[in-house]
Amino acid sequence: MDRTVDPGRTSPFHWNEEVRPGLRVAFTAVAAGNLALHVGDDPDAVRQSRRRLEAALGIRAESLRFMSQTHSDRVALLGASDRAGRVPPDADAMVSATGSEPLAVLVADCVPIVLADADPDDGGTGATAVVHAGRAGVANGIVVKAVGELRRRGAGTITAWIGPSVCGSCYEVPDAMMIELAREIPVAASRTPAGTAALDLPAAVRHQLAQGGVTVEELRGAASSCTQENTALFSHRREPGAGRLAGLVWRP
Ligand SMILES: [Zn+2]
């Protein structure tokens, strides 16, 4: 089928690519179902959606690692002592030091970011990370902290993939809120088509990644990545409580 028509309605993925040999990055669409346990959905239905997703990713059931996200600036480090099925870390970024744990970040309008250091074959650590950055996360520097954690663990050439979120034209906020964030990050200031104050969170995230020396790879061939405009994506602003999409990084 023509994947430019409305891909998220039939495919579970908004975008899904092997970004380098043996490493994949994906962002889910509504067809993958709601993947969050905290939006009031039937927990069994959510677990079924997660199992279906893991099968689609080609990974073991219950091996996908989620976080308990609270708009904090905490970065969780997954290590050898961690096992799948354990309590999700209370964090808004999560690092797999070896890149061996499949990672998931859940969003519906906030910005999901996947990070990966170069492979060991190319002199890197192979570490991977996911980050949840909404307005609070952009302000508290969660992206910067996640990049810092990767650097501390020896990462050199870090690449980022920025997933679907509400865009700078749609994210209307009170003037004071825009001014406050723009004081720190001028590119965060935006306007709606009507001329009212807005925030451009993806632009702010790009700025923070560039400051950290991280290269952003574009999601080539993806449909509109604005969650509020593209109904194949979950949007809390358009439809509160409908669900969350996932940003994913894994080695099948
Ligand atoms: Zn938009």
Side-chain angles (χ1 to χ4, degrees):
M1 65 167 279
D2 182 353
R3 59 194 288 253
T4 62
V5 175
D6 201 4
R9 288 293 173 196
T10 47
S11 162
F13 299 107
H14 172 69
W15 189 80
N16 176 12
E17 290 287 338
E18 185 174 31
V19 294
R20 58 177 78 121
L23 182 70
R24 297 194 73 96
V25 173
F27 297 94
T28 66
V30 290
N34 166 42
L35 297 162
L37 286 163
H38 64 278
V39 295
D41 224 342
D42 170 18
D44 286 335
V46 173
R47 287 191 192 95
Q48 272 184 23
S49 294
R50 289 183 176 189
R51 293 304 87 81
R52 269 199 309 275
L53 177 61
E54 286 162 333
L57 302 185
I59 60 174
R60 211 174 63 248
E62 299 187 36
S63 62
L64 193 54
R65 303 296 303 265
F66 293 87
M67 298 177 281
S68 179
Q69 303 170 187
T70 59
H71 301 278
S72 74
D73 66 349
R74 286 186 293 277
V75 181
L77 180 66
L78 301 183
S81 61
D82 284 292
R83 287 193 332 273
R86 287 176 56 149
V87 178
D90 181 358
D92 288 85
M94 181 164 57
V95 170
S96 171
T98 59
S100 55
E101 289 96 353
L103 307 178
V105 52
L106 298 175
V107 297
D109 297 336
C110 290
V111 187
I113 302 120
V114 170
L115 301 169
D117 185 24
D119 288 337
D121 287 352
D122 294 318
T125 61
T128 55
V130 289
V131 187
H132 163 238
R135 183 176 55 85
V138 166
N140 71 26
I142 184 68
V143 173
V144 178
K145 290 183 171 106
V147 170
E149 182 63 35
L150 286 170
R151 297 269 185 232
R152 262 192 300 285
R153 311 202 62 83
T157 311
I158 305 174
T159 305
W161 294 265
I162 300 173
S165 70
V166 65
C167 80
S169 298
C170 289
Y171 187 20
E172 186 177 31
V173 295
D175 283 334
M177 198 178 270
M178 180 188 80
I179 291 164
E180 190 187 350
L181 193 61
R183 202 175 290 139
E184 294 275 326
I185 309 169
V187 295
S190 185
R191 293 278 165 192
T192 65
T196 56
L199 286 173
D200 191 334
L201 296 183
V205 165
R206 277 173 192 276
H207 170 78
Q208 291 177 320
L209 289 167
Q211 294 282 93
V214 176
T215 305
V216 175
E217 255 182 42
E218 304 303 329
L219 311 186
R220 280 185 301 275
S224 164
S225 278
C226 175
T227 45
Q228 194 162 319
E229 295 171 66
N230 184 347
T231 57
L233 301 167
F234 285 116
S235 168
H236 180 70
R237 293 168 63 84
R238 174 167 37 80
E239 202 177 345
R244 296 285 185 277
L245 61 89
L248 305 158
V249 58
W250 78 104
R251 296 178 196 279

